[in-house]
Amino acid sequence: MAPADRSAGALVLGATPLGDARDASSRLAEALATADVVAAEDTRRTRALAAALGVTLAGKVVSCYDAVERARAATLVEAVRAGQTVLLVTDAGMPSVSDPGYRLVAECVAEDLPVTCLPGPSAVTAALALSGLATDRFCFEGFAPRKQGERERFLAALLEEPRTAVFFDSPHRLASTLADAVRVLGAHRRAAVCRELTKPYEEVRRGTLGELAAWAGEGVRGEVTVVIAGAEPCTPAAEDLVEAVRRRVAEGERLKAATAAVAAAEGVSKRELYEAVLAAREGE
């Protein structure tokens, strides 16, 4: 691939506040004031944000929401190629994370045009941090599907997922999603529902899926992010590992060595597994 054209402009992804305009970075305010083109998911909300920040939008403001992003991308890429700075902002959070932006970024990357970002608010990491659940490993699953069958398959993929899962949902469908989660994942799986983050009515509900489903049944409003604990590791019973030990012994390994290796790999007691192997022999 040819080296990047240093005379080209840049595509700048600007993270916007989730609700409180004071969370906007000074770099975002500067970018809004100086960008040649501001591509906005909702131009009215972007103008309102600029006004709240005391910023005048000097550049051209164009819409770039899901339905028009593909068609708009060629024009915006051409603007970057021509040396202009294109600032992409969505209604809240980082563009391209379950928001418009992926296609535009991909096309700029394909042409080796500069792409950078102004980091900032993120509903995903904010909800994860507030959930009280494990944060060392997590996966983001986008939006929960609208249709029940697709939603159940979506949740089934989390049945044995060891990482904490984060996803967005509509407040109108949250009760149905959590009811499905109870059926698929079990009522006792830990979870949290974060709504209206950084806004006056911010609320974080923590508990089991069963408890949260009962709460959501009364009706929920606002922007919603759901966090579900990862699956607990399942340690097999010693009796279920007898055959694995037998296979290793049949291949020439000594019984105690085979038992120790299988026990270590599966996280069970070496003594209990050895006794299970002996008991199985006696029962034959």
Side-chain angles (χ1 to χ4, degrees):
M1 181 178 290
D5 181 359
R6 298 305 174 190
S7 66
L11 171 64
V12 181
L13 309 178
T16 54
L18 305 179
D20 193 327
R22 293 173 297 178
D23 291 336
S25 69
S26 58
R27 293 179 66 200
L28 176 64
E30 180 182 1
L32 285 167
T34 59
D36 299 297
V37 180
V38 177
E41 182 179 12
D42 185 327
T43 57
R44 292 170 298 181
R45 293 185 66 164
T46 298
R47 291 184 188 279
L49 173 61
L53 298 175
V55 168
T56 299
L57 298 172
K60 182 180 180 181
V61 180
V62 299
S63 60
C64 189
Y65 51 94
D66 283 330
V68 302
E69 181 186 1
R70 188 182 298 277
R72 189 79 72 192
T75 302
L76 295 175
V77 169
E78 180 55 38
V80 175
R81 191 186 298 113
Q84 294 186 313
T85 297
V86 175
L87 173 66
L88 177 65
V89 291
T90 56
D91 292 347
M94 179 61 70
S96 83
V97 180
S98 282
D99 271 333
Y102 164 73
R103 296 185 183 91
L104 181 55
V105 171
E107 292 196 22
C108 283
V109 169
E111 297 202 24
D112 203 21
L113 293 171
V115 179
T116 189
C117 80
L118 307 178
S122 166
V124 176
T125 53
L128 179 67
L130 289 170
S131 70
L133 302 173
T135 59
D136 55 335
R137 298 179 66 216
F138 72 95
C139 57
F140 174 57
E141 298 294 322
F143 275 90
R146 294 171 178 268
K147 297 181 180 178
Q148 183 176 9
E150 294 176 3
R151 192 164 57 237
E152 289 178 344
R153 288 190 289 275
F154 167 87
L155 292 165
L158 303 178
L159 190 59
E160 297 182 3
E161 172 57 66
R163 297 171 295 178
T164 302
V166 185
F167 60 86
F168 298 146
D169 201 8
S170 160
H172 309 296
R173 293 191 298 273
L174 179 63
S176 297
T177 297
L178 292 176
D180 289 341
V182 168
R183 287 193 297 274
V184 175
L185 302 176
H188 299 294
R189 180 85 70 100
R190 303 294 298 177
V193 175
C194 306
R195 69 176 196 88
E196 295 293 88
L197 289 173
T198 78
K199 299 175 185 177
Y201 296 103
E202 175 179 296
E203 181 180 19
V204 179
R205 285 274 179 163
R206 305 175 184 88
T208 64
L209 284 173
E211 292 167 344
L212 293 174
W215 161 75
E218 299 175 4
V220 176
R221 295 182 180 181
E223 301 289 331
V224 171
T225 306
V226 179
V227 187
I228 297 180
E232 293 291 336
C234 181
T235 303
E239 291 76 10
D240 297 332
L241 300 174
V242 169
E243 189 57 37
V245 174
R246 283 177 164 176
R247 284 197 297 269
R248 296 179 75 114
V249 170
E251 292 171 359
E253 200 167 346
R254 298 177 68 86
L255 175 58
K256 288 189 175 180
T259 301
V262 173
E266 299 293 342
V268 302
S269 164
K270 179 172 66 174
R271 180 181 60 80
E272 290 181 6
L273 180 54
Y274 186 74
E275 291 176 353
V277 173
L278 294 182
R281 283 184 173 180
E282 292 174 1
E284 292 177 347

